[in-house]
Amino acid sequence: MTTPLLQVDAVTVHFGGITALERVGFSLVAGELLGLIGPNGAGKTTLLRAIIGVVAPDEGRVHLAGRDITTLSTDARARLGLALTHQIVRPFRSMSVIDNVVLAAGHAKTGSLLKAVAAVGRVAEERRAGELLALVGIADFAQANPAALPLGALKRLEVARALAIDPKVLLLDEPLAGLNSVEAERLAETLVRLNAGGITMILIEHNLAKVAEVCARLVVLDNGRKIADGATRETLADPAVVAAYIGKEAADART
Ligand SMILES: Nc1ncnc2c1ncn2[C@@H]1O[C@H](COP(=O)(O)OP(=O)(O)O)[C@@H](O)[C@H]1O
Ligand SMILES: [Mg+2]
């Protein structure tokens, strides 16, 4: 049997009185592009934040390539190859698009923002950053200020910044949200291409048609619990999954 690249065991996260995650576990084999779905408030973002180390689980373990990383800092996890793209994109507005990518690479390597700033302007780093911008399709914006970028390009910059650390596992929190259908299609194609190139991924996405198009396997959360885990088509037809979505829509309609 193959050792999972990422393994999450019985992770529980409380925020005050709220149980955001309750004994959630799953594993990810190298090369997978896993879809993480569930109604609003299900715990999807919290799960990615627990994997990356921004949120400390109250219980449970996280393993990367067989190594227990549960208590490591986010910087240490980045150096081991874990990257997260955020739902809300916040690049540094005081520097160009390409310098944002250089900074992300330097920060991951050195664990220090100050040292990372010193790397900005170096030829080798800039060349690599330029390649990443081309890879995600925004090379034309390299010298622009992030403030001037449309949302689609900002989302691509967020992916380029995550790629700058050479991740083994890329965690994507709704990278397609807010994009028009053409932009979403292009970014989804980019993600599939990167996955085919060897980067293992977890993708949070609320458009189920899109998820079905891109992901072979799904993990479904509802109210902090895992309610399904399996092949996409079967999982989307699972009565518990259908009920979670319909129940949530009914509740939303009442409010
Ligand atoms: N930092 C936080 N402090 C308090 N409650 C939080 C925090 N982050 C998330 N929650 C709560 O945890 C639950 C899961 O949230 P989240 O992981 O953001 O869900 P999703 O990404 O699936 O929409 C929600 O009830 C949310 O309000
Ligand atoms: Mg979320």
Side-chain angles (χ1 to χ4, degrees):
M1 233 192 79
T2 351
T3 312
L5 181 51
L6 181 72
Q7 179 148 4
V8 175
D9 288 314
V11 163
T12 295
V13 174
H14 299 286
F15 294 114
I18 296 170
T19 303
L21 293 174
E22 190 171 352
R23 297 187 61 79
V24 171
F26 69 95
S27 61
L28 196 61
V29 171
E32 275 195 280
L33 199 181
L34 176 77
L36 178 59
I37 66 167
N40 272 333
K44 305 180 297 293
T45 294
T46 303
L47 181 54
L48 295 196
R49 287 161 64 92
I51 293 169
I52 203 79
V54 177
V55 164
D58 296 296
E59 283 171 68
R61 312 305 300 177
V62 181
H63 286 83
L64 182 68
R67 172 171 177 182
D68 190 337
I69 61 165
T70 315
T71 58
L72 292 187
S73 69
T74 43
D75 284 345
R77 290 179 210 215
R79 286 193 290 276
L80 291 176
L82 264 181
L84 171 71
T85 72
H86 299 85
Q87 194 172 349
I88 312 287
V89 184
R90 287 199 197 86
F92 286 100
R93 309 242 169 216
S94 57
M95 47 176 77
S96 65
V97 163
I98 192 162
D99 286 348
N100 263 278
V101 178
V102 172
L103 188 74
H107 189 185
K109 240 179 274 160
T110 61
S112 149
L113 209 52
L114 265 182
K115 284 185 195 151
V117 168
V120 167
R122 281 193 206 140
V123 176
E125 278 82 354
E126 291 233 352
R127 188 184 309 124
R128 171 80 180 129
E131 286 167 8
L132 291 174
L133 291 179
L135 200 63
V136 300
I138 55 169
D140 290 351
F141 289 109
Q143 299 306 328
N145 187 283
L149 262 55
L151 182 63
L154 276 178
K155 292 259 179 171
R156 286 167 173 267
L157 169 58
E158 181 73 0
V159 173
R161 291 198 325 157
L163 291 175
I165 77 160
D166 275 326
K168 290 193 187 75
V169 181
L170 180 56
L171 311 173
L172 299 144
D173 195 351
E174 300 199 25
L176 309 179
L179 301 186
N180 67 40
S181 58
V182 175
E183 287 172 333
E185 185 63 36
R186 283 177 51 196
L187 185 49
E189 279 169 10
T190 303
L191 297 176
V192 168
R193 195 154 39 81
L194 289 166
N195 173 247
I199 301 175
T200 306
M201 297 183 187
I202 302 178
L203 172 69
I204 299 181
E205 167 54 34
H206 65 255
N207 180 334
L208 297 184
K210 200 84 204 164
V211 170
E213 202 181 294
V214 169
C215 304
R217 182 185 148 215
L218 302 179
V219 163
V220 189
L221 297 181
D222 185 32
N223 275 323
R225 293 179 197 200
K226 186 172 90 166
I227 59 166
D229 182 344
T232 298
R233 187 185 289 264
E234 286 75 9
T235 303
L236 288 178
D238 184 327
V241 174
V242 174
Y245 273 88
I246 292 171
K248 186 69 187 179
E249 272 170 31
D252 287 349
R254 280 196 299 272
T255 56

